[in-house]
Amino acid sequence: MSPIGTADWVMERCDDLTRHSSRPDALERVYLSPEHSAANMAVRAWMLDAGLDTETDAAGNLWGRRAADGTPQRPGTAGEPALVLGSHLDTVPDAGRYDGMLGVVLAIAVAHRLRDVPLPFALEVVGFSDEEGTRFGKALLGSCAASGQWDPAWWDQADADGVTLREAFLQFGLAPDRVGDAARRPEDLVGYLEAHIEQGPVLESANLPLGYVTSIAGARRFVLTITGEARHAGGTPFSRRRDALVAAAHLVTRIEELAKATDCLATVGDIRVEPGAVNVIPGLAELTLDLRGRTDNGRDALWDEISAAGHDIAQERGVKLEVVETHRAPSTACAERMQAAVAAGIAEATRSTGVAAPSATSAAGVAAPSGSVLGLWSPAGHDGMAMDAVTDVGMLFLRCRDGISHHPDEHVEAEDVAIALDAFTEAVLALARDHEEAR
């Protein structure tokens, strides 16, 4: 095993976490599962090795903490506020090994590097339990609990096996009526910093290992149900058909056309058809829609266009369109002081590497480069969107090969992880200096 606190150690621990999967042929680890418990146990051991005391909170999030003087301390201890580093430990189905996990393991490595360094605040590391929303269809459950935004309406949401969120809490050994205990108070926090793979091609296109995040996209998700009429495929002429799937196909292509004309992203990720027989005209088609935008206004304007187009298509084809919004999260601007700290950390870490600055912005959404440091917005959602309710948020992005994520081909280079480890450590020290000056 490589020494803790090194890039090789980080890469090895990300490999280790792939063992905790519900599938033998792929990586899948969902909220409140046996694999979630096993991953928490593994990460807890690494936190202890890094000089942190640990605790699993009332929502299943794993926390580690050291006091300002470097001694292990129970997470959530009242008194000195804490800077929180972390990400999430859950995955999508058939996942890669770096989305979320890399940020947690990097944070532990940073804590180990700083274990003998006095800081003007406590340092905490968190492995959030549910960012992806894979099991219950609601993203950011772990960080919503930590930021005091738990909605009791979620308790009745069920997974594919019919297990409700409340039942899953009990099976995991958690008390549903204690979930509020997971909430952190703003006065107890200095900020939240997260390192994450970019999940996009901007850094690779700019030939840069790292970038800082300016904002996280606002997202909305919908279920669109188109109801037509199921009839015999051989006995029904086209003039009499009310084919729900054909109407859905027209809507899917129209969604793409409308989104391409904006700086937003729109994805139909799943289609379910009934009755689903080869010789029956589909009477129902259910689509999921994911909308993301740099600004809430731009995202909402695109939705208005999509909604109008959907109802027009439904009227033209003699079918009915019903819409249910399943998720809404506002865009999140990273705090200026957090952006500055991450940018300073990147600049310090890359100063001796010979990384060249890009000659111009390389893609839409990229901030003007400053030296070799690039700022970019995140179309993907992150736990910082929830944590922004209780503290300032900042993020560091790492280059990932071809921008691939949510796929087994996720890949980062060990050299980039080494630079990220230096940069994240320097970002913490930059915030420490600012905190001292503000006293």
Side-chain angles (χ1 to χ4, degrees):
M1 182 186 295
S2 299
I4 186 172
T6 65
D8 287 342
W9 181 87
V10 171
M11 300 289 280
E12 291 167 7
R13 300 295 76 73
C14 288
D15 290 343
D16 287 345
L17 284 170
T18 64
R19 297 203 299 261
H20 306 299
S21 174
S22 61
R23 296 171 53 182
D25 61 332
L27 175 58
E28 183 171 342
R29 184 170 55 248
V30 300
Y31 188 35
L32 303 178
S33 64
E35 296 75 32
H36 169 190
S37 178
N40 273 12
M41 289 182 63
V43 175
R44 176 180 180 272
W46 305 337
M47 288 181 173
L48 293 171
D49 288 343
L52 307 173
D53 195 0
T54 66
E55 182 177 60
T56 299
D57 71 17
N61 300 309
L62 177 66
W63 295 83
R65 178 179 170 114
R66 51 150 283 188
D69 64 4
T71 58
Q73 189 177 57
R74 187 175 180 84
T77 297
E80 54 194 13
L83 174 66
V84 178
L85 315 178
S87 190
H88 61 95
L89 292 170
D90 65 311
T91 76
V92 297
D94 199 17
R97 65 188 61 202
Y98 300 112
D99 176 8
M101 288 84 78
L102 178 64
V104 177
V105 179
L106 267 171
I108 295 170
V110 169
H112 181 269
R113 284 189 168 193
L114 296 173
R115 65 184 302 168
D116 297 323
V117 179
L119 297 169
F121 41 66
L123 190 67
E124 295 193 8
V125 174
V126 62
F128 284 120
S129 54
D130 181 78
E131 189 260 10
E132 301 289 3
T134 299
R135 184 175 182 185
F136 295 102
K138 172 66 181 75
L140 307 175
L141 286 173
S143 48
C144 278
S147 57
Q149 300 180 85
W150 191 270
D151 187 344
W154 299 337
W155 287 123
D156 293 327
Q157 293 186 205
D159 66 11
D161 295 321
V163 179
T164 67
L165 182 55
R166 181 183 295 277
E167 291 168 339
F169 256 64
L170 294 170
Q171 292 171 5
F172 197 77
L174 298 173
D177 61 349
R178 299 291 301 276
V179 70
D181 294 350
R184 306 299 301 273
R185 301 186 306 170
E187 59 266 33
D188 293 335
L189 301 173
V190 172
Y192 171 72
L193 278 180
E194 179 171 356
H196 204 283
I197 58 173
E198 183 197 342
Q199 302 179 288
V202 174
L203 289 170
E204 187 176 65
S205 298
N207 194 29
L208 291 173
L210 308 175
Y212 67 93
V213 178
T214 58
S215 64
I216 305 170
R220 294 177 70 178
R221 293 176 182 171
F222 302 86
V223 174
L224 312 177
T225 302
I226 297 174
T227 305
E229 184 180 35
R231 296 181 60 155
H232 197 292
T236 310
F238 283 110
S239 61
R240 299 289 299 274
R241 296 187 179 206
R242 295 167 54 218
D243 190 321
L245 182 56
V246 172
H250 280 272
L251 179 55
V252 170
T253 57
R254 186 64 179 140
I255 287 171
E256 183 181 57
E257 291 170 357
L258 291 169
K260 282 183 174 180
T262 71
D263 63 353
C264 299
L265 297 169
T267 304
V268 175
D270 185 50
I271 299 178
R272 182 178 66 86
V273 176
E274 292 182 4
V278 67
N279 58 350
V280 181
I281 296 165
L284 180 142
E286 185 179 85
L287 301 75
T288 62
L289 174 63
D290 180 296
L291 288 183
R292 301 165 189 254
R294 196 183 323 177
T295 67
D296 294 344
N297 288 341
R299 176 204 64 196
D300 294 345
L302 174 59
W303 166 244
D304 289 342
E305 291 187 73
I306 290 172
S307 178
H311 285 95
D312 287 346
I313 290 169
Q315 184 174 12
E316 291 167 6
R317 306 201 66 85
V319 298
K320 179 182 177 182
L321 173 65
E322 294 179 296
V323 175
V324 175
E325 185 169 6
T326 59
H327 173 75
R328 183 188 297 219
S331 58
T332 302
C334 292
E336 289 188 7
R337 71 181 182 93
M338 306 297 274
Q339 291 188 52
V342 177
I346 296 171
E348 179 63 28
T350 58
R351 185 168 289 121
S352 60
T353 65
V355 175
S359 58
T361 55
S362 58
V366 179
S370 174
S372 60
V373 182
L374 204 61
L376 59 162
W377 74 291
S378 173
H382 299 283
D383 287 301
M385 301 170 72
M387 292 302 290
D388 184 63
V390 288
T391 194
D392 287 345
V393 169
M395 289 193 71
L396 176 146
F397 269 176
L398 285 79
R399 170 171 53 192
C400 56
R401 186 174 61 195
D402 199 31
I404 292 176
S405 182
H406 285 188
H407 188 277
D409 287 346
E410 272 180 5
H411 179 81
V412 295
E413 296 292 340
E415 293 81 0
D416 289 354
V417 173
I419 300 172
L421 189 49
D422 290 343
F424 216 44
T425 304
E426 292 295 336
V428 173
L429 295 174
L431 286 170
R433 291 190 293 270
D434 289 346
H435 193 80
E436 286 279 21
E437 293 173 1
R439 283 183 168 182

